[in-house]
Each structure stands twice: as structure tokens, then as C-alpha cells.
Amino acid sequence: MKQYFYTHPNTIVETPEIFVKNEATQNVGTVQRMYGNGVSRFFDRMMDYKYFVKYEAHIQDYARAMCRKISRKGRVFYRAEIEGEKPFEIGYIGWRDLIPDLQITNGATTMILHKEHEGWSNFEWQDTDYARWQAVLNEETNQFEVELQIETIAPIQNPASYIAIAQTTLFIGG
């Protein structure tokens, strides 16, 4: 199992570059909320920082990954992209549930992300949990302590993809 750790400020207003560490506490990558231009940043600020959501992550030895929120005609979904691969569409399933799950698919691979507000949010593929992500608020520092775990059986081994998806869908949400 691979493990990655980072701390994120308890705010969606700031957009700092966050360093990601491995289990040996070495910096191995970054994650950051990005804006295409100043206009999208301005409109995002006007809409509570939840409309123009895009996170980019990069972990050494893996392709860069990005996930963004898309709102069209009253429908909210997400698109995750990993350099060199077909994009993943991410949409809510179980809208009537208190905390709906997310389906992640690129046509060839379909995964489910079981969202949890507290504790581990699990990524599932073929009825097996293969990765998990959680953010725990440290009230003393007012930062989230975030952990990602990826099993060797995971259909996608790129940790940047999980970080980008989790930051966008779980940290910002719908």
C-alpha cells in the first residue's frame, strides 16, 4: 500500500501550492487550486468559491492530473483528466441519500467513490475498496491533515488523480 500526506488550510479562499509527502515524509509532489484567468477567479469569489473549481496535482514519476467542477443546465458533474489518458466523468449517484456517492468512469473503467464527511471516503472498483482519502481538521492549526492510501490492486496507480478528484469532489463538493 502507498500512503501520501499533506495539510490543507481550512479555507477555500486561498490557493496555495500544497506539498504532498510520502510515508517517508519526503516531498514527492504538489496539489493546488487553479484558475484559468483573473475573470474566473473574480466570478468564483462572487459565487462563494464553489463554482470555478479546478485542482491540479502532480506526484513525481506520475503524470499530472486535474479535476474540475462543471455546472450545465442545473446539472453538476466533474471531469478528471490524467495526462495521456481518456478523461473520467464523475457524477452523483443516489441523490436521495443524505451523502450521495459518486460514479467515476471513462467508459472502460467504472469506479464508485463512497463519500463520507467524517472518516474515510473509499474508492471502490469491482466491489473492492482499493483506495481511501480522509481529511481531519486540526483545530489548533486550523488546517486539514489529509491522508491518501492506495492499494496495489487499484486500477489507477497515479496518486495525483485521487488527490485531484478528492480535493474537488470531497473538499469543495457540490
Side-chain angles (χ1 to χ4, degrees), residues 8 10 16 19 21 38 47 57 82 90 94 109 134 137 162 164 173:
H8 195 286
N10 181 18
F19 291 99
K21 300 179 182 304
M47 303 171 102
I82 304 169
I90 305 166
T109 303
Q134 80 169 345
L137 180 61
Y162 297 107

Side-chain angles (χ1 to χ4, degrees), residues 7-163:
T7 57
H8 195 286
N10 181 18
T11 179
I12 56 175
V13 176
E14 299 172 23
T15 59
E17 183 176 55
I18 308 294
F19 291 99
V20 179
K21 300 179 182 304
N22 63 9
E23 54 275 331
T25 68
Q26 300 168 321
N27 285 344
V28 294
T30 60
V31 60
Q32 184 175 22
R33 184 172 182 162
M34 308 292 284
Y35 291 98
N37 55 48
V39 174
S40 62
R41 182 186 281 267
F42 172 78
F43 280 115
D44 199 40
R45 183 176 66 219
M46 301 302 290
M47 303 171 102
D48 275 343
Y49 295 97
K50 293 185 178 184
Y51 189 75
F52 295 99
V53 178
K54 175 181 169 185
Y55 272 92
E56 287 188 9
H58 183 254
I59 304 296
Q60 68 186 27
D61 302 327
Y62 292 95
R64 185 174 303 278
M66 179 273 297
C67 187
R68 62 189 164 110
K69 180 179 180 179
I70 301 170
S71 298
R72 290 197 185 129
K73 299 178 183 175
R75 180 177 171 251
V76 175
F77 64 100
Y78 304 89
R79 179 168 294 131
E81 299 174 12
I82 304 169
E83 287 179 354
E85 295 189 28
K86 186 176 176 184
F88 286 87
E89 295 294 323
I90 305 166
Y92 290 102
I93 54 176
W95 271 104
R96 294 186 178 134
D97 297 336
L98 183 60
I99 305 172
D101 291 335
L102 291 154
Q103 178 176 302
I104 305 166
T105 186
N106 66 356
T109 303
T110 299
M111 303 170 280
I112 304 295
L113 173 54
H114 299 287
K115 287 178 68 170
E116 293 294 336
H117 288 298
E118 294 183 18
W120 292 100
S121 292
N122 293 306
F123 291 82
E124 178 188 298
W125 175 64
Q126 296 180 345
D127 298 322
T128 302
D129 289 345
Y130 63 86
R132 58 203 126 296
W133 182 93
Q134 80 169 345
V136 177
L137 180 61
N138 181 329
E139 292 183 15
E140 290 179 20
T141 63
N142 200 31
Q143 292 191 356
F144 285 99
E145 296 172 355
V146 183
E147 183 176 353
L148 168 69
Q149 297 177 353
I150 305 170
E151 300 289 343
T152 56
I153 62 165
I156 299 170
Q157 286 293 311
N158 184 344
S161 63
Y162 297 107
I163 291 171

